[in-house]
Amino acid sequence: MGLTSRALEYTTALLTLMCVVLTVRFWPRLARRGPVAVLGRLGVITVTQLALLATCAVLVNARFDFYGSWDELLGHPPTTPGHVEESGGGGRVYASHGGLVQAAGLQGLDQVRGLPAGPPGKVGRVESVRILGRRSHAVNPAFVYLPPQYFQHQYHRQRFPVIVAISGYPGGIMNLARFLRVPQTAGRLEASGRMQPTVVVMVRPTIAPPRDTECVDVPGGPRAETFFTEDLPEALESAYRVGHDPSAWGALGYSSGGSCALQLALRDPKVYTSAAALSADYRVSEDLTTGNLFGSGARGARRQRGHDLVWRLRHLPVPRVSVLVASSRHGEPDYGPTMRFLGAVGPPMTSARVILPRGSHHFTTWRREIGPAMEWMGRQLTFPQDTTRHTTPGSTPHGSAQAAGRGR
């Protein structure tokens, strides 16, 4: 029974209901004097409250995806396979380079409607995996959308551009697939010819849940920026035919995930050359969910200032990247900061915008923006990026990266 499965939700809810019913049924027997009756009442109250808390925890975790599996919750390190594994979603993941991409269970994919169903060469495929960071030591759950062309013979020697789609906090990859409908949108745009064939990897912004790491390398703590700029590209290139050049890589996200996408492009343009942000913040602030992200003293202040994107554009060399930002004139609190950010953009950086007349900080708004954002990003990324070396007859096109060297 998976940690995010409907079966667990129904089971905990049923047990809680049973506890309530039994409490009502047997309470008159416990309404007596004496230590045994008092202990009985305390025990019944305790069990009922624990059952209720467990149900709430399961529902909240399923909604926001703090933990994707029991192993992740209990802190058990994943095993590193040296062979092909079958994913819970029916796909295959070819782990290489020490197993940096590993097949995972469904991770909630069974709750998502509209995913590819049929031959991968015709409709594509979504794989459920976990990504291991060799430097950050993070283990992050992910969904990977592979377009139909990835499985077609005429593309078997070509690499594909990559969009790293990042959820908001405290949401997880389920939000990207179920509510924002990222893989469904990619398939629809590709089928209509409005987006080139692209691999989309869906991840969450935090690598140390429940802490909000904001894609920052915390001194003495989680190295979230390292995960996104070094570990994630290395892992994907080890398991999928994706481009090595930065021109093939873009980041996209909503809310704090959009903030992360912009941070990655402006701070690490040799990794990500484009970013699309829906309802983003333009600087990283600390709060109860983040803790101390930058350290103390003057050095900590400098580190925090380096994550203020408007300050960077005004005081540091402007990177050669392309960005798209989305907001709403009414109902979205980031409209003013969005316009200030756009006002600070200058050559060689380019910008685009999606400004709705009215919207809110919610999926109902972001679903109106995700299509134009992905279509725009598809025009920024290069394809075909490069080709793999000749594969032997009968070999599968879905394997470890074969091109020598990394263009980073």
Side-chain angles (χ1 to χ4, degrees), residues 27-304:
W27 191 261
R29 298 185 182 183
L30 299 173
R32 301 172 182 174
R33 295 181 178 180
V36 175
V38 172
L39 290 175
R41 292 195 294 272
L42 290 175
V44 166
I45 293 173
T46 300
V47 171
T48 303
Q49 293 297 315
L50 289 176
L52 180 61
L53 287 174
T55 300
C56 292
V58 168
L59 293 175
V60 169
N61 184 70
R63 173 64 175 81
F64 295 109
D65 199 21
F66 288 107
Y67 299 97
S69 67
W70 292 106
D71 285 342
E72 188 177 343
L73 175 65
L74 299 174
H76 295 162
T79 58
T80 303
H83 59 282
V84 176
E85 290 190 355
E86 294 289 339
S87 77
R92 290 185 176 181
V93 174
Y94 285 72
S96 62
H97 289 203
L100 299 179
V101 177
Q102 300 181 353
L106 286 174
Q107 300 187 125
L109 274 182
D110 55 332
Q111 302 177 34
V112 181
R113 297 181 179 180
L115 295 179
K122 293 184 178 180
V123 297
R125 185 163 68 196
V126 177
E127 298 190 332
S128 177
V129 303
R130 57 184 173 223
I131 298 174
L132 280 63
R134 190 165 60 86
R135 301 165 187 82
S136 64
H137 304 294
V139 180
N140 224 11
F143 295 146
V144 179
Y145 165 79
L146 302 171
Q149 291 82 357
Y150 191 93
F151 304 94
Q152 297 171 4
H153 180 73
Q154 60 267 38
Y155 291 90
H156 78 284
R157 294 184 61 192
Q158 293 180 328
R159 299 185 179 278
F160 289 75
V162 182
I163 294 177
V164 176
I166 310 170
S167 70
Y169 177 87
I173 56 177
M174 269 290 292
N175 288 353
L176 291 164
R178 187 179 183 184
F179 299 114
L180 196 58
R181 299 182 64 80
V182 167
Q184 300 91 324
T185 302
R188 174 173 54 82
L189 291 174
E190 291 169 358
S192 63
R194 290 184 290 161
M195 179 176 166
Q196 62 185 329
T198 304
V199 172
V200 183
V201 56
M202 291 154 270
V203 292
R204 62 190 181 191
T206 180
I207 65 168
R211 184 178 185 181
D212 182 9
T213 47
E214 290 283 340
C215 292
V216 170
D217 276 356
V218 181
R223 301 173 63 193
E225 186 172 10
T226 296
F227 174 83
F228 280 97
T229 59
E230 299 183 49
D231 290 342
L232 181 62
E234 178 188 43
L236 292 176
E237 291 170 12
S238 75
Y240 298 100
R241 296 195 325 278
V242 295
H244 290 308
D245 193 86
S247 63
W249 286 71
L252 174 151
Y254 68 90
S255 191
S256 58
S259 307
C260 182
L262 292 174
Q263 293 279 345
L264 293 173
L266 269 69
R267 290 177 55 84
D268 299 280
K270 293 183 178 180
V271 182
Y272 299 93
T273 56
S274 62
L278 317 181
S279 301
D281 291 322
Y282 300 93
R283 63 178 180 177
V284 176
S285 301
E286 296 178 336
D287 56 29
L288 291 177
T289 64
T290 65
N292 188 336
L293 294 175
F294 304 105
S296 58
R299 186 174 182 181
R302 285 195 301 271
R303 286 173 53 84
Q304 186 167 16

Side-chain angles (χ1 to χ4, degrees), residues 5-16:
S5 67
R6 288 287 179 86
L8 183 61
E9 295 177 27
Y10 294 149
T11 299
T12 54
L14 180 60
L15 289 175
T16 301

Side-chain angles (χ1 to χ4, degrees), residues 279-282 310 314 325-344 353 355-356:
S279 301
D281 291 322
Y282 300 93
V310 174
R314 290 174 176 171
V325 292
S327 186
S328 304
R329 288 188 178 88
H330 300 284
E332 180 60 74
D334 81 325
Y335 176 70
T338 296
M339 302 311 294
R340 286 193 291 273
F341 172 78
L342 289 172
R353 68 191 72 182
I355 304 296
L356 301 178

